[in-house]
């Protein structure tokens, strides 16, 4: 977290004099550097105006920063750059409810409250869709991995080695799986042939008795 300067706060709202927590906005909106969105959803309602709350949600949604939109932790990543996210389903549901209440048109007087409320609803749909959620987590993890690599370039080479090892293990597992499947099918065919032979011998024996 970082603090807005007094000058920035005054520009945003001359009446706001308290330090305001913000989250970084690494993306751009309409080709210009986006102003950091105030992380208002974690604060008491009376610390921010309705307009600030709505603006923060819409800016986060426009940047496709769905984690900031709901004020939940972003994913970290493992050594292969895969997402590591410890936000539980109950915690996510609580975040949905809290965020929705903060921008509900019946409670928030801002002119764009309905847009923010709809944005929260779309974000909820995204996180409930396993495929879309996985893609959002993957992109966030890749971003986290890039930031780690800026501090330690060796991580990229380490990931390449780990990926090679993982690919080799995956190939070995796949070959073993195919081999086991071939053996299973061969055993089934052998058992089927043996059964047919027994039936044939039994039929031949009946003919001899006649």
């Amino acid at each position: 977290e970082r603090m807005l300067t007094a000058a920035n706060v005054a520009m945003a709202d001359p009446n706001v004099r308290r330090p305001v927590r913000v989250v970084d906005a690494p993306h751009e909106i309409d080709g210009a550097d986006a102003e950091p969105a105030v992380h208002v959803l974690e604060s008491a309602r009376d610390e921010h105006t309705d307009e600030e709350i709505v603006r923060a949600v819409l800016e986060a949604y426009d940047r496709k920063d769905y984690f900031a939109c709901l004020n939940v932790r972003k994913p970290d990543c493992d050594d292969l750059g895969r997402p590591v996210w410890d936000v539980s389903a109950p915690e996510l549901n609580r975040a949905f409810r809290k965020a929705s209440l903060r921008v509900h048109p019946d409670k928030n007087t801002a002119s764009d409250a309905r847009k923010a409320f709809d944005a929260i609803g779309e974000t909820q749909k995204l996180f409930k869709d396993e495929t879309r959620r996985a893609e959002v987590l993957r992109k966030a993890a890749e971003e986290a991995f890039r930031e780690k690599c800026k501090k330690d370039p060796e991580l990229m080479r380490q990931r390449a080695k780990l990926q090679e090892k993982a690919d080799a293990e995956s190939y070995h597992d796949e070959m073993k799986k195919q081999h086991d499947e071939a053996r299973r099918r061969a055993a089934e065919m052998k058992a089927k042939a043996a059964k047919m032979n027994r039936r044939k011998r039994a039929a031949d024996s009946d003919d001899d008795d006649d």
Side-chain angles (χ1 to χ4, degrees), residues 12-32:
D13 187 344
N15 297 320
V16 176
R17 300 182 182 280
R18 301 178 63 174
V20 180
R21 285 175 289 187
V22 302
V23 292
D24 290 332
H27 305 285
E28 294 183 351
I29 299 176
D30 297 333

Side-chain angles (χ1 to χ4, degrees), residues 5 15 17 20 25 34 36 78 82 88 97 99-100 110 117 127 135 138 157 172 176 191 194-195 200 204:
T5 64
N15 297 320
R17 300 182 182 280
V20 180
D78 63 11
R82 296 172 300 195
S88 65
R97 288 194 294 270
S100 296
F117 184 76
F127 277 105
E135 180 63 15
R138 184 193 66 77
R157 288 187 287 272
H172 177 268
K176 184 178 184 301
K195 186 176 180 179
K200 185 176 184 300
D204 292 342

Side-chain angles (χ1 to χ4, degrees), residues 1-6 8-10 12-13 15-24 36-44 46-49 52-53 55-56:
E1 293 183 346
R2 61 190 181 81
M3 309 298 291
L4 283 176
T5 64
N8 287 339
V9 173
D13 187 344
N15 297 320
V16 176
R17 300 182 182 280
R18 301 178 63 174
V20 180
R21 285 175 289 187
V22 302
V23 292
D24 290 332
V38 181
H39 219 178
V40 297
L41 296 180
E42 67 178 10
S43 308
D46 57 2
E47 291 186 21
H48 304 281
T49 66
E52 287 175 329
I53 294 170
R55 182 170 66 249

Side-chain angles (χ1 to χ4, degrees), residues 2-198:
R2 61 190 181 81
M3 309 298 291
L4 283 176
T5 64
N8 287 339
V9 173
M11 289 175 63
D13 187 344
N15 297 320
V16 176
R17 300 182 182 280
R18 301 178 63 174
V20 180
R21 285 175 289 187
V22 302
V23 292
D24 290 332
H27 305 285
E28 294 183 351
I29 299 176
D30 297 333
D33 290 339
E35 290 294 326
V38 181
H39 219 178
V40 297
L41 296 180
E42 67 178 10
S43 308
R45 187 179 182 87
D46 57 2
E47 291 186 21
H48 304 281
T49 66
D50 285 354
E51 291 289 347
E52 287 175 329
I53 294 170
V54 166
R55 182 170 66 249
V57 170
L58 291 178
E59 287 181 358
Y61 187 76
D62 287 344
R63 296 196 314 273
K64 298 183 179 180
D65 188 353
Y66 305 111
F67 305 97
C69 198
L70 296 178
N71 186 33
V72 293
R73 296 181 298 281
K74 284 188 174 183
D76 198 357
C77 63
D78 63 11
D79 292 341
L80 284 174
R82 296 172 300 195
V84 177
W85 201 42
D86 62 351
V87 176
S88 65
E91 185 177 354
L92 197 57
N93 287 334
R94 287 194 295 271
F96 289 145
R97 288 194 294 270
K98 184 176 180 180
S100 296
L101 287 174
R102 298 296 293 274
V103 296
H104 196 287
D106 292 343
K107 296 179 179 294
N108 189 304
T109 61
S111 58
D112 286 335
R114 170 56 64 178
K115 291 182 180 179
F117 184 76
D118 291 342
I120 295 296
E122 290 301 314
T123 302
Q124 182 179 24
K125 292 179 183 178
L126 182 149
F127 277 105
K128 287 184 177 295
D129 185 305
E130 292 185 5
T131 301
R132 297 173 66 195
R133 181 177 68 243
E135 180 63 15
V136 170
L137 292 175
R138 184 193 66 77
K139 289 181 178 180
E142 281 293 332
E143 181 181 336
F145 188 75
R146 285 195 298 270
E147 290 301 316
K148 287 184 177 182
C149 288
K150 289 179 182 179
K151 299 177 182 178
D152 185 4
E154 181 64 22
L155 287 176
M156 188 63 74
R157 288 187 287 272
Q158 291 178 2
R159 180 168 83 161
K161 292 180 180 179
L162 288 172
Q163 189 63 56
E164 289 178 2
K165 181 180 178 181
D167 290 344
E169 291 176 349
S170 177
Y171 176 79
H172 177 268
D173 291 342
E174 181 62 26
M175 290 298 99
K176 184 178 184 301
K177 181 179 178 181
Q178 291 183 16
H179 179 68
D180 291 343
E181 180 65 16
R183 290 182 62 183
R184 184 187 66 79
R185 290 182 179 179
E188 287 181 351
M189 292 179 65
K190 184 177 180 180
K192 185 177 181 180
K195 186 176 180 179
M196 292 178 65
N197 287 334
R198 287 194 299 269

